[in-house]
Amino acid sequence: MSVIVAAKIAADVSAFKKSLTERADDYRRIAEMGRQQGALHHQFGAGDGYVLIIDEWESAEAFNTFFSDPQLMSFIGSVGGDPNTAPEVTFGESVDSPDKF
């Protein structure tokens, strides 16, 4: 059974949004690495001073392995993530429901 992952990262949101176009190839490369390691779905959200990552992964362990990579942490810092604030990460078992879309 897969897991849904919600991660909230303190960030400079304007720097993050700017990086989405300026570093698009880096995002594509990281997405491919994630897929190879067990990512099934991925999406960002942005709020006031934070970026949300909403993913589906084959397992929590696969996500944790991917997310703890020092190069990924460096990348997150370089695109606006606050390296001094630990991300808030929550996992939940993915479940089917009649209202899912």
Side-chain angles (χ1 to χ4, degrees), residues 2-93:
S2 64
V3 295
I4 302 298
V5 182
K8 183 178 180 181
I9 300 173
D12 175 338
V13 175
S14 61
F16 164 72
K17 287 181 176 180
K18 186 177 178 183
S19 76
L20 293 172
T21 53
E22 291 181 350
R23 299 189 63 188
D25 288 340
D26 291 329
Y27 282 95
R28 287 184 194 99
R29 179 183 51 78
I30 291 168
E32 183 55 33
M33 288 171 40
R35 282 192 286 278
Q36 291 174 4
Q37 295 181 43
L40 304 172
H41 299 283
H42 168 75
Q43 184 172 349
F44 285 119
D48 184 15
Y50 64 88
V51 171
L52 290 176
I53 300 169
I54 306 297
D55 283 1
E56 183 177 5
W57 280 74
E58 292 175 356
S59 69
E61 294 78 18
F63 174 83
N64 283 331
T65 298
F66 173 78
F67 200 64
S68 65
D69 182 300
Q71 290 181 324
L72 179 62
M73 291 292 102
S74 177
F75 175 77
I76 290 170
S78 75
V79 297
D82 181 352
N84 299 311
T85 304
E88 299 173 31
V89 181
T90 304
F91 297 96
E93 178 184 336

Side-chain angles (χ1 to χ4, degrees), residues 95-101:
V95 295
D96 285 327
S97 65
D99 60 343
K100 184 177 179 180
F101 64 91

